[in-house]
């Protein structure tokens, strides 16, 4: 089943992308700073930036995961394809914020 989902349509890939974006968005700023500073306390010091990452990554993960999830069905099967595509779609904004925080 290789179909083109509507923009913002709810599906399993969109949910997986939103969950991945939510968790990753909260940690996307703190992880690079904790690695560079070699101090795990830096994970929680930047709470305001973590909330901004959360607010950006959840809707972005929903939209990207909802688009990539159904397109991965042909490669990985019905349920696994949507989950894998949704997780990959949710990781894209998280990796973008991590790259921004690293600099």
């Amino acid at each position: 089943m290789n179909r083109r989902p509507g923009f913002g349509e709810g599906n399993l890939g969109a949910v997986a992308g939103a969950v991945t974006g939510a968790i990753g968005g909260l940690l996307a700023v703190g992880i690079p700073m904790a690695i560079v500073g070699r101090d795990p306390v830096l994970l929680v010091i930047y709470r305001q930036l973590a909330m901004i990452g959360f607010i950006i990554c959840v809707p972005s993960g929903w939209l990207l995961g909802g688009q990539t999830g159904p397109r991965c069905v042909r490669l990985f099967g019905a349920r696994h394809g949507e989950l894998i595509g949704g997780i990959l779609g949710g990781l894209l904004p998280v990796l973008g914020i991590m790259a921004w925080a690293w600099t």
Side-chain angles (χ1 to χ4, degrees):
M1 177 173 121
N2 190 9
R3 66 180 186 90
R4 296 176 58 103
F7 188 72
E9 176 184 313
N11 55 36
L12 186 61
V15 173
V19 170
T20 304
I23 296 168
L26 285 173
L27 299 173
V29 176
I31 289 177
M33 294 195 182
I35 291 172
V36 169
R38 295 184 184 190
D39 187 12
V41 174
L42 293 174
L43 280 171
V44 294
I45 287 179
Y46 297 102
R47 288 185 299 255
Q48 289 84 10
L49 290 176
M51 286 307 297
I52 292 171
F54 176 81
I55 291 170
I56 291 171
C57 288
V58 170
S60 301
W62 177 274
L63 295 174
L64 292 172
Q67 293 296 308
T68 57
R71 291 187 168 101
C72 291
V73 167
R74 204 170 87 194
L75 293 172
F76 300 108
R79 174 152 280 172
H80 296 299
E82 285 208 30
L83 281 174
I84 291 170
I87 290 169
L88 291 176
L91 280 177
L92 289 175
V94 171
L95 293 175
I97 289 178
M98 285 181 93
W100 169 79
W102 195 267
T103 59

Coordinates of all heavy atoms in Angstrom, one line a residue:
M1 N 0.8 -1.2 0.0 CA 0.0 0.0 0.0 C 0.9 1.2 0.0 O 1.4 1.6 1.0 CB -0.9 0.0 1.2 CG -1.8 1.1 1.4 SD -2.9 0.9 2.8 CE -2.4 2.3 3.8
N2 N 1.1 1.8 -1.1 CA 1.9 3.0 -1.3 C 0.9 4.2 -1.6 O 0.6 4.4 -2.7 CB 2.9 2.8 -2.3 CG 3.9 3.9 -2.4 OD1 4.0 4.8 -1.5 ND2 4.8 4.0 -3.4
R3 N 0.5 4.9 -0.6 CA -0.4 6.0 -0.8 C 0.2 7.3 -0.4 O 1.2 7.4 0.3 CB -1.7 5.8 -0.1 CG -1.6 5.8 1.4 CD -2.9 5.6 2.0 NE -2.8 5.7 3.5 CZ -3.0 6.9 4.1 NH1 -3.4 7.9 3.4 NH2 -2.9 6.9 5.4
R4 N -0.4 8.4 -0.9 CA 0.1 9.7 -0.6 C -0.8 10.3 0.5 O -2.0 10.6 0.2 CB 0.1 10.6 -1.8 CG 1.1 10.1 -2.9 CD 1.0 10.9 -4.1 NE 1.3 12.3 -3.8 CZ 2.4 12.9 -4.1 NH1 3.4 12.3 -4.6 NH2 2.6 14.2 -3.8
P5 N -0.4 10.4 1.7 CA -1.2 10.9 2.8 C -1.5 12.4 2.7 O -0.7 13.1 2.1 CB -0.4 10.6 4.1 CG 1.0 10.6 3.6 CD 1.0 10.1 2.2
G6 N -2.6 12.9 3.2 CA -2.9 14.3 3.2 C -2.0 15.0 4.2 O -1.5 14.5 5.1
F7 N -1.8 16.3 4.0 CA -0.9 17.1 4.8 C -1.6 17.3 6.2 O -2.7 17.8 6.3 CB -0.6 18.5 4.2 CG 0.4 19.3 4.9 CD1 1.7 18.9 4.8 CD2 0.1 20.4 5.6 CE1 2.7 19.6 5.4 CE2 1.1 21.1 6.2 CZ 2.4 20.7 6.1
G8 N -0.9 16.8 7.2 CA -1.4 16.9 8.6 C -2.4 15.8 8.9 O -3.0 15.9 10.0
E9 N -2.5 14.8 8.1 CA -3.4 13.7 8.3 C -2.9 12.9 9.5 O -1.7 12.6 9.6 CB -3.5 12.9 7.1 CG -4.3 11.6 7.2 CD -4.3 10.8 5.9 OE1 -4.5 11.4 4.9 OE2 -4.1 9.6 6.0
G10 N -3.8 12.4 10.3 CA -3.4 11.6 11.5 C -3.3 10.1 11.0 O -4.2 9.6 10.4
N11 N -2.2 9.5 11.4 CA -1.9 8.1 11.1 C -0.9 7.7 12.1 O -0.4 8.4 13.0 CB -1.5 7.8 9.7 CG -0.3 8.7 9.2 OD1 0.6 8.9 10.0 ND2 -0.4 9.1 8.0
L12 N -0.5 6.4 12.1 CA 0.4 5.8 13.0 C 1.8 6.5 12.9 O 2.5 6.7 13.9 CB 0.5 4.3 12.9 CG 1.4 3.6 13.9 CD1 0.8 3.7 15.3 CD2 1.4 2.1 13.5
G13 N 2.2 6.8 11.7 CA 3.5 7.5 11.5 C 3.5 8.9 12.1 O 4.5 9.3 12.7
A14 N 2.4 9.6 12.0 CA 2.3 10.9 12.6 C 2.4 10.9 14.1 O 3.1 11.7 14.8 CB 1.0 11.6 12.2
V15 N 1.7 9.9 14.7 CA 1.8 9.7 16.2 C 3.2 9.4 16.6 O 3.8 9.9 17.6 CB 0.8 8.7 16.7 CG1 1.0 8.4 18.2 CG2 -0.6 9.1 16.4
A16 N 3.8 8.5 15.9 CA 5.2 8.1 16.2 C 6.2 9.3 16.1 O 7.1 9.5 16.9 CB 5.7 6.9 15.4
G17 N 6.0 10.1 15.0 CA 6.8 11.3 14.8 C 6.6 12.3 15.9 O 7.5 12.9 16.3
A18 N 5.3 12.5 16.3 CA 5.1 13.5 17.4 C 5.7 13.0 18.7 O 6.3 13.9 19.5 CB 3.6 13.7 17.6
V19 N 5.6 11.7 19.0 CA 6.2 11.2 20.3 C 7.7 11.4 20.3 O 8.3 11.8 21.2 CB 5.7 9.8 20.6 CG1 6.5 9.2 21.7 CG2 4.2 9.8 20.9
T20 N 8.3 11.0 19.1 CA 9.7 11.1 19.0 C 10.2 12.6 19.1 O 11.2 12.9 19.7 CB 10.2 10.5 17.6 OG1 9.7 9.1 17.6 CG2 11.7 10.5 17.5
G21 N 9.4 13.4 18.4 CA 9.7 14.9 18.5 C 9.6 15.4 19.9 O 10.4 16.3 20.3
A22 N 8.6 15.0 20.6 CA 8.4 15.5 22.0 C 9.5 15.1 22.9 O 10.1 16.0 23.6 CB 7.0 14.9 22.5
I23 N 9.9 13.9 22.9 CA 11.0 13.4 23.8 C 12.3 14.0 23.3 O 13.1 14.5 24.1 CB 11.0 11.9 23.8 CG1 9.7 11.4 24.5 CG2 12.2 11.4 24.6 CD1 9.5 9.9 24.4
G24 N 12.5 13.9 22.0 CA 13.8 14.4 21.5 C 13.9 15.9 21.6 O 15.0 16.5 21.9
G25 N 12.8 16.7 21.4 CA 12.8 18.1 21.5 C 13.2 18.6 22.9 O 13.8 19.7 23.1
L26 N 12.7 17.9 23.9 CA 13.1 18.3 25.3 C 14.6 18.1 25.6 O 15.1 18.8 26.4 CB 12.3 17.5 26.3 CG 10.8 17.9 26.4 CD1 10.1 16.9 27.3 CD2 10.7 19.3 27.0
L27 N 15.2 17.1 24.9 CA 16.6 16.9 25.2 C 17.6 17.4 24.1 O 18.8 17.3 24.3 CB 16.8 15.3 25.3 CG 16.0 14.7 26.5 CD1 16.2 13.2 26.4 CD2 16.5 15.2 27.8
A28 N 17.0 17.9 23.0 CA 17.8 18.3 21.9 C 18.8 19.4 22.2 O 19.9 19.4 21.6 CB 17.0 18.7 20.7
V29 N 18.5 20.3 23.1 CA 19.4 21.4 23.4 C 20.4 21.0 24.5 O 21.6 21.3 24.5 CB 18.6 22.6 23.8 CG1 19.6 23.7 24.3 CG2 17.7 23.1 22.7
G30 N 19.9 20.2 25.5 CA 20.7 19.8 26.6 C 21.8 18.8 26.3 O 22.9 18.9 26.9
I31 N 21.5 17.9 25.5 CA 22.5 16.8 25.2 C 23.8 17.3 24.6 O 24.9 17.0 25.1 CB 21.9 15.7 24.3 CG1 20.9 14.9 25.1 CG2 23.0 14.8 23.7 CD1 20.1 13.8 24.3
P32 N 23.8 18.2 23.5 CA 25.1 18.7 23.1 C 25.8 19.5 24.1 O 27.0 19.5 24.2 CB 24.7 19.5 21.8 CG 23.4 19.0 21.4 CD 22.7 18.6 22.7
M33 N 25.1 20.3 24.8 CA 25.7 21.2 25.8 C 26.3 20.4 27.0 O 27.4 20.7 27.5 CB 24.7 22.2 26.4 CG 24.3 23.2 25.3 SD 23.6 24.6 25.9 CE 23.2 25.5 24.4
A34 N 25.6 19.3 27.4 CA 26.1 18.4 28.4 C 27.4 17.6 27.9 O 28.3 17.4 28.7 CB 25.1 17.4 28.8
I35 N 27.4 17.3 26.6 CA 28.6 16.6 26.1 C 29.8 17.5 26.0 O 30.9 17.2 26.4 CB 28.2 16.0 24.7 CG1 27.3 14.8 24.9 CG2 29.5 15.5 24.0 CD1 26.7 14.3 23.6
V36 N 29.5 18.8 25.5 CA 30.6 19.7 25.4 C 31.1 20.1 26.8 O 32.3 20.2 27.0 CB 30.2 20.9 24.5 CG1 31.2 22.0 24.6 CG2 30.0 20.5 23.1
G37 N 30.2 20.4 27.7 CA 30.6 20.9 29.0 C 31.0 19.7 29.9 O 31.5 20.0 31.0
R38 N 30.8 18.5 29.5 CA 31.1 17.3 30.3 C 30.5 17.4 31.7 O 31.1 17.0 32.7 CB 32.6 17.1 30.4 CG 33.2 16.8 29.1 CD 34.7 16.5 29.3 NE 35.3 16.3 28.0 CZ 36.5 15.9 27.7 NH1 37.2 15.6 28.8 NH2 36.9 15.7 26.5
D39 N 29.2 17.8 31.7 CA 28.5 18.0 33.0 C 27.0 17.6 32.7 O 26.3 18.4 32.0 CB 28.6 19.4 33.5 CG 28.0 19.6 34.9 OD1 27.7 18.6 35.6 OD2 27.9 20.8 35.3
P40 N 26.5 16.6 33.3 CA 25.1 16.2 33.1 C 24.1 17.2 33.7 O 22.9 17.1 33.3 CB 25.0 14.8 33.8 CG 26.1 14.7 34.7 CD 27.2 15.6 34.1
V41 N 24.5 18.1 34.5 CA 23.6 19.1 35.1 C 23.1 20.0 34.0 O 22.0 20.6 34.0 CB 24.3 19.8 36.2 CG1 23.4 21.0 36.7 CG2 24.6 18.9 37.3
L42 N 23.9 20.2 32.9 CA 23.5 21.1 31.8 C 22.3 20.6 31.1 O 21.7 21.3 30.3 CB 24.7 21.2 30.9 CG 25.9 21.9 31.4 CD1 27.1 21.9 30.5 CD2 25.6 23.4 31.8
L43 N 21.9 19.3 31.3 CA 20.7 18.8 30.6 C 19.5 19.5 31.1 O 18.5 19.8 30.4 CB 20.5 17.3 30.9 CG 21.3 16.3 30.1 CD1 21.2 14.9 30.6 CD2 20.9 16.4 28.6
V44 N 19.4 19.9 32.4 CA 18.3 20.6 32.9 C 18.4 22.1 33.2 O 17.4 22.7 33.5 CB 17.9 19.9 34.3 CG1 17.4 18.5 34.0 CG2 19.0 19.9 35.3
I45 N 19.6 22.6 33.0 CA 19.7 24.1 33.2 C 19.0 24.9 32.1 O 18.4 25.9 32.4 CB 21.2 24.4 33.2 CG1 21.8 23.9 34.5 CG2 21.5 25.9 33.1 CD1 23.3 24.2 34.7
Y46 N 19.0 24.4 30.9 CA 18.4 25.1 29.8 C 17.0 24.7 29.6 O 16.5 24.3 28.5 CB 19.2 24.9 28.5 CG 20.6 25.4 28.6 CD1 21.7 24.5 28.8 CD2 20.9 26.8 28.5 CE1 23.0 25.0 29.0 CE2 22.2 27.2 28.6 CZ 23.2 26.4 28.8 OH 24.5 26.8 28.9
R47 N 16.1 25.0 30.6 CA 14.7 24.6 30.5 C 13.9 25.4 29.5 O 13.1 24.8 28.8 CB 14.1 24.7 31.9 CG 14.6 23.6 32.9 CD 13.8 23.8 34.1 NE 14.0 25.0 34.8 CZ 14.7 25.2 35.8 NH1 15.3 24.2 36.4 NH2 14.9 26.4 36.4
Q48 N 14.2 26.7 29.4 CA 13.4 27.5 28.4 C 13.7 27.0 27.0 O 12.8 27.0 26.2 CB 13.7 29.0 28.6 CG 13.2 29.5 29.9 CD 14.1 29.3 31.1 OE1 15.2 28.9 31.0 NE2 13.5 29.6 32.3
L49 N 15.0 26.8 26.7 CA 15.3 26.3 25.4 C 14.8 24.9 25.1 O 14.4 24.6 24.0 CB 16.8 26.3 25.2 CG 17.5 27.7 25.1 CD1 19.0 27.6 25.0 CD2 17.0 28.5 23.9
A50 N 14.7 24.1 26.1 CA 14.1 22.8 26.0 C 12.6 22.9 25.6 O 12.1 22.1 24.8 CB 14.3 21.9 27.2
M51 N 11.9 23.8 26.2 CA 10.5 24.0 25.9 C 10.3 24.5 24.5 O 9.4 24.1 23.8 CB 9.8 24.9 27.0 CG 9.6 24.3 28.3 SD 8.7 22.7 28.2 CE 7.2 23.3 27.6
I52 N 11.2 25.4 24.1 CA 11.1 25.9 22.7 C 11.3 24.7 21.7 O 10.6 24.6 20.7 CB 12.1 27.0 22.5 CG1 11.7 28.2 23.3 CG2 12.2 27.4 21.0 CD1 12.7 29.4 23.3
G53 N 12.3 23.9 22.0 CA 12.6 22.7 21.2 C 11.4 21.8 21.2 O 11.0 21.2 20.2
F54 N 10.7 21.6 22.3 CA 9.5 20.8 22.4 C 8.4 21.3 21.6 O 7.8 20.6 20.8 CB 9.1 20.7 23.9 CG 7.8 20.0 24.1 CD1 7.8 18.6 24.2 CD2 6.6 20.6 24.3 CE1 6.6 17.9 24.4 CE2 5.4 19.9 24.5 CZ 5.4 18.6 24.6
I55 N 8.2 22.7 21.6 CA 7.1 23.3 20.9 C 7.4 23.2 19.4 O 6.4 23.1 18.6 CB 6.9 24.8 21.4 CG1 6.4 24.7 22.8 CG2 6.1 25.6 20.4 CD1 6.4 26.1 23.5
I56 N 8.6 23.3 19.0 CA 8.9 23.2 17.6 C 8.9 21.7 17.1 O 8.4 21.5 16.0 CB 10.3 23.8 17.3 CG1 10.3 25.3 17.5 CG2 10.8 23.4 15.9 CD1 11.6 25.9 17.5
C57 N 9.4 20.8 17.8 CA 9.5 19.4 17.4 C 8.3 18.6 17.4 O 8.1 17.7 16.5 CB 10.6 18.7 18.2 SG 12.3 19.2 17.9
V58 N 7.3 18.9 18.2 CA 6.1 18.1 18.2 C 5.3 18.3 17.0 O 5.0 17.3 16.3 CB 5.2 18.4 19.5 CG1 3.9 17.7 19.4 CG2 6.0 17.8 20.7
P59 N 4.9 19.5 16.6 CA 4.2 19.6 15.3 C 5.0 19.3 14.1 O 4.5 18.7 13.1 CB 3.7 21.1 15.3 CG 4.4 21.8 16.4 CD 5.0 20.8 17.3
S60 N 6.3 19.6 14.1 CA 7.1 19.2 13.0 C 7.2 17.7 12.9 O 7.2 17.1 11.8 CB 8.5 19.7 13.1 OG 8.5 21.1 13.2
G61 N 7.4 17.0 14.0 CA 7.4 15.5 14.0 C 6.1 14.9 13.5 O 6.1 13.9 12.8
W62 N 5.0 15.5 13.9 CA 3.6 15.1 13.5 C 3.5 15.2 11.9 O 3.1 14.2 11.3 CB 2.5 15.9 14.1 CG 1.2 15.5 13.6 CD1 0.5 16.1 12.6 CD2 0.3 14.6 14.2 NE1 -0.7 15.5 12.4 CE2 -0.9 14.6 13.4 CE3 0.4 13.8 15.3 CZ2 -2.0 13.8 13.7 CZ3 -0.7 13.0 15.6 CH2 -1.9 13.0 14.8
L63 N 3.9 16.3 11.4 CA 3.8 16.6 9.9 C 4.8 15.7 9.2 O 4.4 15.0 8.2 CB 4.0 18.0 9.6 CG 3.0 19.0 10.2 CD1 3.4 20.4 9.9 CD2 1.6 18.7 9.6
L64 N 6.0 15.6 9.6 CA 7.0 14.9 8.8 C 6.8 13.3 9.0 O 6.9 12.6 8.1 CB 8.4 15.2 9.3 CG 8.9 16.6 8.9 CD1 10.2 17.0 9.6 CD2 9.0 16.7 7.4
G65 N 6.5 12.9 10.2 CA 6.2 11.5 10.5 C 4.9 11.1 9.7 O 4.9 9.9 9.2
G66 N 3.9 11.9 9.6 CA 2.7 11.6 8.9 C 2.9 11.5 7.4 O 2.2 10.8 6.7
Q67 N 3.9 12.1 6.9 CA 4.3 12.0 5.5 C 5.2 10.9 5.2 O 5.0 10.2 4.2 CB 4.9 13.4 5.0 CG 3.9 14.5 5.0 CD 2.8 14.3 4.1 OE1 2.9 14.0 2.9 NE2 1.6 14.5 4.6
T68 N 6.2 10.6 6.0 CA 7.2 9.6 5.7 C 6.7 8.2 6.2 O 7.1 7.2 5.6 CB 8.5 9.9 6.5 OG1 8.3 10.0 7.9 CG2 9.2 11.1 5.9
G69 N 5.8 8.1 7.2 CA 5.3 6.8 7.7 C 4.6 6.0 6.6 O 5.1 4.9 6.3
P70 N 3.6 6.5 5.9 CA 2.9 5.7 4.9 C 3.8 5.4 3.7 O 3.6 4.4 3.0 CB 1.7 6.6 4.5 CG 1.5 7.4 5.7 CD 2.8 7.7 6.3
R71 N 4.8 6.2 3.5 CA 5.6 6.0 2.3 C 6.7 4.9 2.6 O 7.3 4.4 1.6 CB 6.3 7.3 1.9 CG 5.3 8.3 1.3 CD 6.0 9.5 0.8 NE 5.1 10.3 0.0 CZ 4.5 11.4 0.5 NH1 4.7 11.8 1.7 NH2 3.7 12.0 -0.3
C72 N 6.9 4.6 3.8 CA 7.8 3.5 4.2 C 7.2 2.1 4.3 O 7.8 1.1 4.6 CB 8.5 3.8 5.5 SG 9.7 5.2 5.4
V73 N 5.9 2.1 4.0 CA 5.1 0.8 4.2 C 5.6 -0.2 3.2 O 5.7 -1.4 3.5 CB 3.6 1.1 4.0 CG1 2.8 -0.2 3.8 CG2 3.1 1.8 5.2
R74 N 5.9 0.2 2.0 CA 6.3 -0.7 1.0 C 7.7 -1.4 1.3 O 7.9 -2.5 1.0 CB 6.4 0.0 -0.4 CG 6.3 -1.0 -1.6 CD 6.2 -0.2 -2.8 NE 7.5 0.1 -3.3 CZ 7.8 0.9 -4.3 NH1 6.9 1.6 -4.8 NH2 9.0 1.1 -4.6
L75 N 8.5 -0.7 2.0 CA 9.8 -1.2 2.4 C 9.8 -2.1 3.6 O 10.5 -3.2 3.6 CB 10.8 -0.1 2.7 CG 11.2 0.8 1.5 CD1 12.0 2.0 2.0 CD2 12.0 0.1 0.5
F76 N 9.0 -1.8 4.6 CA 9.1 -2.5 5.9 C 7.8 -3.2 6.3 O 7.8 -3.8 7.3 CB 9.4 -1.5 7.0 CG 10.8 -0.8 6.8 CD1 10.8 0.5 6.4 CD2 11.9 -1.5 6.9 CE1 12.0 1.2 6.3 CE2 13.1 -0.9 6.7 CZ 13.2 0.5 6.4
G77 N 6.8 -3.1 5.5 CA 5.5 -3.8 5.9 C 4.5 -2.7 6.4 O 4.9 -1.6 6.7
A78 N 3.3 -3.2 6.7 CA 2.2 -2.2 7.0 C 2.5 -1.5 8.4 O 2.6 -0.3 8.4 CB 0.9 -3.0 7.1
R79 N 2.5 -2.2 9.4 CA 2.7 -1.6 10.7 C 4.1 -1.1 11.0 O 4.3 0.0 11.5 CB 2.2 -2.5 11.8 CG 2.5 -1.9 13.2 CD 1.6 -2.4 14.2 NE 0.4 -1.7 14.1 CZ -0.7 -2.0 14.7 NH1 -0.8 -3.0 15.5 NH2 -1.8 -1.3 14.6
H80 N 5.1 -1.9 10.7 CA 6.5 -1.5 11.0 C 6.9 -0.4 10.1 O 7.7 0.5 10.5 CB 7.4 -2.7 10.7 CG 7.2 -3.8 11.7 ND1 7.3 -3.7 13.1 CD2 6.8 -5.1 11.5 CE1 7.0 -4.8 13.7 NE2 6.7 -5.7 12.7
G81 N 6.4 -0.3 8.9 CA 6.8 0.8 8.0 C 6.3 2.1 8.5 O 7.1 3.1 8.4
E82 N 5.1 2.2 8.9 CA 4.6 3.5 9.5 C 5.4 3.9 10.7 O 5.6 5.1 10.9 CB 3.1 3.4 9.7 CG 2.3 3.4 8.5 CD 0.9 4.0 8.7 OE1 0.8 4.9 9.5 OE2 0.1 3.6 7.9
L83 N 5.7 2.9 11.6 CA 6.4 3.3 12.8 C 7.8 3.7 12.5 O 8.3 4.8 13.0 CB 6.5 2.1 13.8 CG 5.2 1.8 14.6 CD1 5.4 0.5 15.3 CD2 4.9 2.9 15.5
I84 N 8.5 3.0 11.7 CA 9.9 3.4 11.3 C 9.9 4.7 10.6 O 10.7 5.6 10.9 CB 10.6 2.3 10.5 CG1 10.8 1.1 11.3 CG2 11.9 2.8 9.9 CD1 11.2 -0.2 10.6
G85 N 9.0 4.9 9.6 CA 8.9 6.2 8.9 C 8.6 7.3 9.8 O 9.1 8.5 9.7
G86 N 7.7 7.1 10.8 CA 7.3 8.1 11.7 C 8.4 8.5 12.7 O 8.6 9.7 12.9
I87 N 9.1 7.5 13.1 CA 10.3 7.8 14.0 C 11.4 8.6 13.2 O 11.9 9.6 13.8 CB 10.8 6.5 14.6 CG1 9.8 5.9 15.6 CG2 12.2 6.7 15.2 CD1 10.2 4.5 16.1
L88 N 11.6 8.2 12.0 CA 12.6 8.9 11.2 C 12.2 10.4 10.9 O 13.0 11.3 11.0 CB 12.9 8.2 9.9 CG 13.6 6.9 10.1 CD1 13.8 6.2 8.7 CD2 15.0 7.1 10.7
G89 N 10.9 10.5 10.6 CA 10.3 11.9 10.4 C 10.4 12.7 11.7 O 10.6 13.9 11.6
G90 N 10.2 12.1 12.8 CA 10.3 12.8 14.1 C 11.7 13.2 14.5 O 11.9 14.2 15.2
L91 N 12.6 12.4 14.0 CA 14.0 12.7 14.4 C 14.6 13.8 13.6 O 15.6 14.5 14.0 CB 14.9 11.4 14.1 CG 14.9 10.4 15.2 CD1 15.7 9.2 14.8 CD2 15.4 11.0 16.5
L92 N 14.0 14.2 12.4 CA 14.6 15.2 11.6 C 14.6 16.6 12.3 O 15.7 17.2 12.3 CB 13.9 15.3 10.3 CG 14.1 14.1 9.3 CD1 13.2 14.3 8.1 CD2 15.6 14.1 8.9
P93 N 13.5 17.1 12.9 CA 13.6 18.3 13.6 C 14.5 18.3 14.8 O 15.1 19.2 15.2 CB 12.2 18.7 13.9 CG 11.4 17.4 13.8 CD 12.1 16.6 12.8
V94 N 14.5 17.1 15.5 CA 15.3 16.9 16.7 C 16.8 17.1 16.3 O 17.6 17.8 17.0 CB 15.0 15.6 17.4 CG1 16.0 15.3 18.5 CG2 13.6 15.5 17.9
L95 N 17.2 16.4 15.2 CA 18.6 16.5 14.8 C 19.0 17.9 14.3 O 20.1 18.4 14.5 CB 18.9 15.5 13.7 CG 18.8 14.0 14.1 CD1 18.9 13.1 12.9 CD2 19.8 13.7 15.2
G96 N 18.0 18.6 13.7 CA 18.2 20.0 13.4 C 18.5 20.9 14.6 O 19.4 21.7 14.5
I97 N 17.7 20.7 15.6 CA 17.9 21.5 16.8 C 19.2 21.1 17.5 O 19.9 22.0 18.0 CB 16.7 21.4 17.7 CG1 15.5 22.2 17.1 CG2 17.0 22.0 19.1 CD1 14.3 22.1 17.9
M98 N 19.5 19.8 17.5 CA 20.8 19.4 18.1 C 22.0 20.0 17.3 O 23.0 20.4 18.0 CB 20.9 17.9 18.1 CG 20.0 17.2 19.2 SD 20.2 15.5 19.1 CE 21.5 15.3 20.4
A99 N 21.9 20.0 16.0 CA 23.0 20.6 15.2 C 23.1 22.1 15.5 O 24.2 22.7 15.6 CB 22.7 20.4 13.7
W100 N 22.0 22.8 15.7 CA 22.0 24.2 16.1 C 22.6 24.4 17.5 O 23.4 25.4 17.7 CB 20.6 24.8 16.0 CG 20.5 26.1 16.7 CD1 20.8 27.3 16.1 CD2 20.0 26.4 18.0 NE1 20.6 28.3 17.0 CE2 20.1 27.8 18.1 CE3 19.5 25.7 19.0 CZ2 19.7 28.5 19.3 CZ3 19.2 26.3 20.2 CH2 19.3 27.7 20.3
A101 N 22.3 23.6 18.4 CA 22.8 23.7 19.8 C 24.2 23.4 19.9 O 24.9 23.8 20.8 CB 22.0 22.8 20.7
W102 N 24.7 22.5 19.0 CA 26.1 22.1 19.0 C 27.0 23.3 18.6 O 28.2 23.3 19.1 CB 26.3 21.0 18.0 CG 27.6 20.2 18.3 CD1 28.8 20.5 17.6 CD2 27.9 19.2 19.2 NE1 29.8 19.7 18.1 CE2 29.2 18.8 19.1 CE3 27.1 18.5 20.1 CZ2 29.8 17.8 19.8 CZ3 27.6 17.5 20.8 CH2 29.0 17.2 20.7
T103 N 26.6 24.2 17.8 CA 27.4 25.3 17.3 C 27.5 26.4 18.3 O 26.8 26.5 19.2 CB 26.9 25.9 16.0 OG1 25.6 26.3 16.1 CG2 27.0 24.8 14.9

